[in-house]
Amino acid sequence: MGFALGPPFHFGVEGPGGWWILDEPELHFGQNVLVPDLAGWRRERMPDPPREHIVSIVPDWICEVTSPSIEAFQRQDDQWRLNIYGDDAIVRIAPFEAIEINLTLFWGPLPT
């Protein structure tokens, strides 16, 4: 999933940019430590990327890849909204609707 989101959102290649997308960041909130598969921060909220793997700023987006599906949590109005996507879907995952992601590339047979 990081391969799909990184170029257009983290680097701004053929996409809008404006995000930091990190693989398995270590999120520290008081005594709670969470390590999601992916997390994203809007650069307007976190202007600089973290210098280490430990982050204490609440992400704007979290993704858990739970084969054969994807659970994407989006932060809205200080709450998390869950979306679940199946293994054969072609999706535009909020807030990354600018690109389509074909989930069969992750779990289906590879194109020949």
Side-chain angles (χ1 to χ4, degrees):
M1 185 58 69
F3 288 122
L5 296 176
F9 295 97
H10 185 93
F11 297 109
V13 176
E14 296 185 22
W19 285 81
W20 298 117
I21 307 291
L22 301 178
D23 293 328
E24 298 183 346
E26 193 172 304
L27 306 176
H28 286 236
F29 307 117
Q31 294 185 3
N32 296 315
V33 177
L34 306 168
V35 182
D37 291 332
L38 286 168
W41 291 261
R42 295 179 190 274
R43 291 187 186 189
E44 61 208 25
R45 286 191 53 245
M46 187 168 75
D48 298 312
R51 301 252 181 241
E52 54 186 52
H53 69 286
I54 296 172
V55 182
S56 60
I57 298 171
V58 175
D60 294 297
W61 179 82
I62 293 175
C63 179
E64 286 293 334
V65 179
T66 56
S67 202
S69 65
I70 287 177
E71 294 180 351
F73 296 85
Q74 179 185 7
R75 191 145 174 87
Q76 287 184 326
D77 302 322
D78 293 331
Q79 294 184 4
W80 290 100
R81 190 181 90 206
L82 171 64
N83 296 298
I84 300 174
Y85 304 94
D87 63 343
D88 61 349
I90 296 175
V91 298
R92 291 184 181 269
I93 299 174
F96 305 108
E97 295 96 339
I99 65 166
E100 280 189 344
I101 300 171
N102 183 344
L103 296 181
T104 60
L105 295 175
F106 298 100
W107 294 289
L110 293 176
T112 55

